[in-house]
Amino acid sequence: MTVEPGDLVFTHFGLSGPAALRASHYVTVSLRDQPGALLRASIDVEPDCPFEQWVERFRRARDAHPKRRLRTELEDHLPERLAQFVLSEARVDGDTQLAHASLAQLEAVAHTLKHLELPITGTLPLEKATVTGGGVNVKEIDPKTMQSKRCAGLFFAGEVMDVHAHTGGYNITIAFSTGHTAGTEAAFYALANRERSPMYSTQGTDPVGPVP
Ligand SMILES: Cc1cc2nc3c(=O)[nH]c(=O)nc-3n(C[C@H](O)[C@H](O)[C@H](O)COP(=O)(O)OP(=O)(O)OC[C@H]3O[C@@H](n4cnc5c(N)ncnc54)[C@H](O)[C@@H]3O)c2cc1C
């Protein structure tokens, strides 16, 4: 089991937001290793509010507003449709007035809020990915120059390599830093090997100019 803290967005195509993007890596790897595996996400709707605190919230609301419906109370804390979904998953009738809600019902709702289970069927296709795994193995790249160890004069940067990180700026940083190194080293390589390059020798003119 992997825990990914962060915001979550419920969309028409499924889960999104930072926590979903991070967790999607594990989904991809799990389904690659075990095609057809039954995966589930367990969502803690409000991690800062422990189970006991949810129950206490409901009990206090019951004392203060006994005629209020459970659905209305939950909608004070959650978006309407999420509140409805939580109640249906908890198998508690949202129209129940708080005064008539048993402790077992309140605890069932609190438990569901801490462990909202959803089946995971897959991730969106590669074209929709923000970050991708796979690519050129970093063991085949010299990290000081980003040059291929297998093919001289070939330099790599960014997503074309098999590197990926959490969202939040790390992937851009990988792209910029490896791009800077690869670009600089490629230029040095071109200058050092200009005599051997067909680009310069066949033209008769030197587009780069004298080596500094
Ligand atoms: C919606 C979205 C949000 C993101 N948010 C974040 C974020 O918040 N933080 C973070 O760290 N990362 C984020 N990323 C990931 C980050 O943008 C990428 O990791 C980074 O841009 C990779 O840079 P790159 O230069 O390797 O590849 P790219 O930026 O994909 O650049 C590759 C370029 O090559 C061009 N190209 C492709 N094929 C050819 C070809 N045959 N000939 C010529 N040109 C070609 C493409 O048109 C493209 O311009 C996000 C990505 C997306 C899509």
Side-chain angles (χ1 to χ4, degrees):
M1 188 182 78
T2 309
V3 178
E4 286 294 349
D7 291 337
L8 202 55
V9 184
F10 294 88
T11 73
H12 62 284
F13 57 81
L15 297 174
S16 188
L21 289 175
R22 289 179 176 193
S24 69
H25 167 68
Y26 304 106
V27 174
T28 305
V29 171
S30 299
L31 291 178
R32 181 195 64 195
D33 295 346
Q34 292 172 274
L38 295 174
L39 305 178
R40 298 189 75 77
S42 179
I43 300 165
D44 185 341
V45 173
E46 200 179 312
D48 293 337
C49 185
F51 170 84
E52 297 75 18
Q53 198 172 323
W54 272 116
V55 177
E56 188 53 32
R57 272 183 184 177
F58 295 144
R59 291 171 94 156
R60 268 193 265 125
R62 184 168 60 182
D63 293 343
H65 313 284
K67 290 190 176 168
R68 178 182 274 188
R69 291 183 305 167
L70 201 45
R71 178 199 311 279
T72 314
E73 171 58 24
L74 207 51
E75 285 169 7
D76 265 6
H77 306 285
L78 307 179
E80 186 181 329
R81 289 176 68 189
L82 180 58
Q84 282 173 18
F85 183 60
V86 166
L87 287 164
S88 79
E89 286 297 291
R91 298 176 195 280
V92 173
D93 181 1
D95 288 329
T96 309
Q97 286 185 329
L98 286 171
H100 299 123
S102 66
L103 180 60
Q105 285 177 313
L106 298 183
E107 287 183 344
V109 176
H111 178 81
T112 306
L113 286 162
K114 300 304 289 179
H115 307 278
L116 186 60
E117 297 247 328
L118 291 178
I120 300 297
T121 53
T123 58
L124 289 180
L126 183 65
E127 301 78 53
K128 301 279 183 188
T130 55
V131 180
T132 60
V136 179
N137 190 329
V138 287
K139 287 183 183 157
E140 297 178 1
I141 301 171
D142 175 0
K144 289 193 179 137
T145 62
M146 304 313 296
Q147 184 173 199
S148 168
K149 290 178 182 172
R150 296 166 65 110
C151 177
L154 181 60
F155 295 80
F156 299 109
E159 292 272 1
V160 79
M161 300 181 295
D162 186 12
V163 285
H164 51 92
H166 274 172
T167 50
Y170 302 106
N171 296 286
I172 289 278
T173 304
I174 290 171
F176 282 161
S177 56
T178 55
H180 180 269
T181 303
T184 306
E185 293 296 331
F188 282 134
Y189 181 91
L191 287 171
N193 291 279
R194 62 196 320 191
E195 302 304 333
R196 286 192 279 144
S197 167
M199 178 180 171
Y200 303 125
S201 56
T202 55
Q203 299 295 316
T205 54
D206 188 341
V208 178
V211 180

